Amino acid sequence: MIPVSYSYRSLMVRWKTTLMTATGFTLVIAALIVMLAFINGLAEVCAISGDPNNVIVLNEGCTDEILSSISRATASQIETNPLVVRRPDGTSLSSRELFGVRTVYDKKIRDYVLMPFRGVSPSAFEVHNTVHVVSGRTFRPSQSEVIVGMSIKNAQKVELGDVLEIARKKWKVAGFFAAGGAALESEVWGDLDEMAGQFKKEGSYNSIVVRAESPARAKDLARSIDSSAQISVGAQTELDYYAKQAESTNFLRSAVWVIAWFMGIGAIFGVMNTMFAAISQRIKDIAVLRLLGFMSWEILIAFLLEAIMVSLIGGGLGMLVGYSANGFTQRFTISGHEVQFRFLVDASLLALAAAFSLIMGIMGGLLPAMSAMRVRPLEAFR
Amino acid sequence: MSTPPLRSNEPIVLVDGCTKNYSRGSETVSVLKSVHLEIARGDFVGLIGPSGSGKTTLLNLIAGLDQPTTGRVVINGVEISSLTEAQLALWRTNAIGFVFQFFNLIPVLTAFENVELPLLLLNMSRRRRREQVLNILELVGLGHRLTHRPGQLSGGEQQRVGIARALVTDPALVVADEPTGDLDSRKSQEILDLLQELQVRLNKTILIVTHDLAVAARVRRLLRISDGQLIDDTENPESVTHPLFGSLNVSNAARVKRAEAARS
């Protein structure tokens, strides 16, 4: 084998060109990591948002609760399902919920922003048992009070006692709630009946969330409600529901890869260009190596290695830059929910970026290395 | 590839009725015309001729870099004109040492690493490689310049590294194509002295291609090629004539040196 130091030193001798070519890789890899970290963060919010014990019931055919409408009678029938957990007094553990999105004027940024709101009864806090008030107190019915999720509080700098104007009615902020980072934290909660009156939705709900004893029971419950002959609703576990919401990130993921490849092709041509130039200056090196007895595939590997080294240097720097985006918070609207999440750079993303860099290096290095392999020693000396 | 045992009187180089044609468009150019040549083991042979006479082509056939159009080339008992490219590459590593006019060292590698290169192909332990490289660099007088890169060495020193690289695999035959062509006359003499000394000490067969009469005057046997044919074959040439440069008498000094070399 031709020693690795040959490839490495040849790069270092022309370190300016090497650095410039590697910068192309740095930019591509950094951009790829930041974009995928964005999607990862989004997917993570969806993944932690579902409670495996809960089943969410929507209109048949509805994939999102904002379009769903379930009557009071249907809700009662759902709650009679024997798989739903009962309280000691025999009532079922169920949360009837109203959900909507309105624009709210944000004084800080002087613009309207989307505000998801949810009308709930006290049982919502039993069904969504990760939700708890962290400051202030919960809302009182019929007092035009709301509680605000922590991620809205942080993003819009809402204070206790602030007044939010939703649907021409002023609501006073009585407290703030957390939900373990789930999508619910990006919502405003108020009294179910009061909100129904305000939004003229009395007598119907957007969704019913019922609780089962275990994740396995929840699956059975969803199946049982789904196949019920009396009511035409669609039931799925919250895990499944949020997993479907996360599917909308798939198209984003595809878009990111399209962008990454377009940029990547730029980097590939960059390394191709420098490698062709390097090889044309080293035809005699190649000829000597061949005369000494090195095989053409050994020449191929030596030059391919050079391109791969460029890609790894550049890719490594790109990974450092991309990793600095880890934990950066951002808001994003996903099917009506404006959710807050943090960019997530994990080991698998870094491994993916390294592999992408390596593939770009190989693709950029292969053609020049093949041309090096075909150098005829005798002609090179003429 | 095992080398068959040689009878001592068997030539190390046998070029048997070789022709070499190149096609230039529709025209066929005959560069070598039925050349027959034998070189004895341990000989110091010069090949002289004007440009385009076919001397480099003949050298390439002998070194296994090119294949004859017709005829056989047998080196050290191996018929190399019938080897595949991969076999030929391995054979070259073991059997041939090359010395080039422009040294052709790898600029990013040190003197030591340049000389070590051919040994990397020979499945040899690191320690043995190091030993062998140090020995040969010491022999060419560069024991103190191991870590210098070609750019940090003078032309003469670079050619010494080139010679060390050619000899490090202990090849039976060393071919040198204009080894002093890029050196001034003092350095040329030093390099020729070195080649001559190594040829005697290590009992190598050396074939030098040149058009430098001063070089030609130093060999034991001089072949003259013209128009693709060997036209003259002189042992211990007293004077060398050249179609362009006239004649050159072999100096007394050179003759004494040759005589001394023959004695030792």
Side-chain angles (χ1 to χ4, degrees), chain A residues 13-77:
Chain A
V13 161
R14 54 183 161 96
W15 63 271
K16 280 183 192 162
T17 325
T18 302
L19 206 59
M20 275 191 272
T21 317
T23 306
F25 282 77
T26 304
L27 295 178
V28 174
I29 293 302
L32 177 71
I33 289 178
V34 170
M35 289 189 294
L36 287 180
F38 171 92
I39 294 172
N40 267 1
L42 213 52
E44 188 197 41
V45 167
C46 292
I48 62 173
S49 289
D51 184 329
N53 283 15
N54 285 352
V55 170
I56 181 167
V57 186
L58 307 174
N59 257 26
E60 191 158 40
C62 268
T63 54
D64 195 293
E65 61 178 329
I66 202 156
L67 301 170
S68 161
S69 172
I70 292 176
S71 71
R72 192 168 287 170
T74 310
S76 300
Q77 263 183 303

Side-chain angles (χ1 to χ4, degrees), chain A residues 1-3 5-6 9-10 13 282 284-286 288-296 298 377-378 381-382, chain B residues 22 60 65-66 85-86 89 92-93 98 100 102 104-110 113 117-118 120-121 149 165:
Chain A
M1 282 287 290
I2 296 166
S5 56
Y6 172 68
R9 283 191 213 150
S10 300
V13 161
R282 273 149 61 202
K284 283 217 166 155
D285 279 16
I286 298 167
V288 171
L289 291 168
R290 297 280 279 122
L291 290 195
L292 292 180
F294 287 98
M295 300 299 295
S296 49
E298 289 172 297
L378 281 185
F381 281 126
R382 261 174 210 145
Chain B
Y22 290 108
N60 289 340
L65 295 175
D66 210 350
E85 202 206 336
R92 274 203 303 268
T93 310
F98 294 95
F100 304 94
F102 300 109
N104 288 331
L105 303 174
I106 307 286
V108 298
L109 300 183
T110 62
E113 289 163 335
L117 267 180
L120 296 175
L121 290 156
R149 296 198 186 173
R165 181 177 63 186

